[in-house]
Amino acid sequence: QVQLVESGGGLVQPGGSLRLSCAASGKTVSPNLMSWYRQAPGKQRDLVAHISSSGNTYIADSVKGRFTISRDNAKNTAYLQMNSLKPEDTAVYYCYAEWVAMGYWGQGTQVTVSS
């Protein structure tokens, strides 16, 4: 059974940093694509960043220059380094992992940016 376990969320002051992790288990091969989405209260779930198994990345314009995505294929783990956090980054952050024809969501981790 595939599981995605996210960690690293929490409360941080504006301008601070957090590093989210997403560990995938239950498959013998690494995901083709690992993504981070976020959903603020009352809003849709939006793509923040994704990274392919070969290391190609996409970063949404709203976080470009502040967030970076990386992965360790040996550990089937993706990371989202978030710097210069703003109150508008407050959301539940979800990990999504895709293998051929199948995708799975993590349970989400809360990120709150507030003074």
Side-chain angles (χ1 to χ4, degrees), residues 3 8 20 26 29 34 42-43 49 55-57 73 82 87 89 91 93 96 99 102 107 109:
Q3 276 193 313
L20 305 183
V29 295
M34 298 188 78
K43 296 192 176 181
N56 293 320
T57 63
N73 287 333
M82 306 185 294
D89 294 318
Y93 284 70
Y96 182 72
W99 287 262
M102 291 293 290
Q107 80 284 357
T109 185

Side-chain angles (χ1 to χ4, degrees), residues 7-58:
S7 60
L11 173 64
V12 64
Q13 291 186 343
S17 297
L18 284 174
R19 188 193 194 207
L20 305 183
S21 299
C22 172
S25 62
K27 291 277 193 180
T28 57
V29 295
S30 293
N32 293 335
L33 194 70
M34 298 188 78
S35 308
W36 287 99
Y37 287 76
R38 68 184 182 185
Q39 187 168 21
K43 296 192 176 181
Q44 66 181 22
R45 190 174 296 187
D46 292 326
L47 176 65
V48 175
H50 67 219
I51 184 166
S52 71
S53 56
S54 61
N56 293 320
T57 63
Y58 164 83

Side-chain angles (χ1 to χ4, degrees), residues 95-113:
C95 177
Y96 182 72
E98 295 179 34
W99 287 262
V100 176
M102 291 293 290
Y104 301 85
W105 289 98
Q107 80 284 357
T109 185
Q110 177 70 45
V111 171
T112 302
V113 185

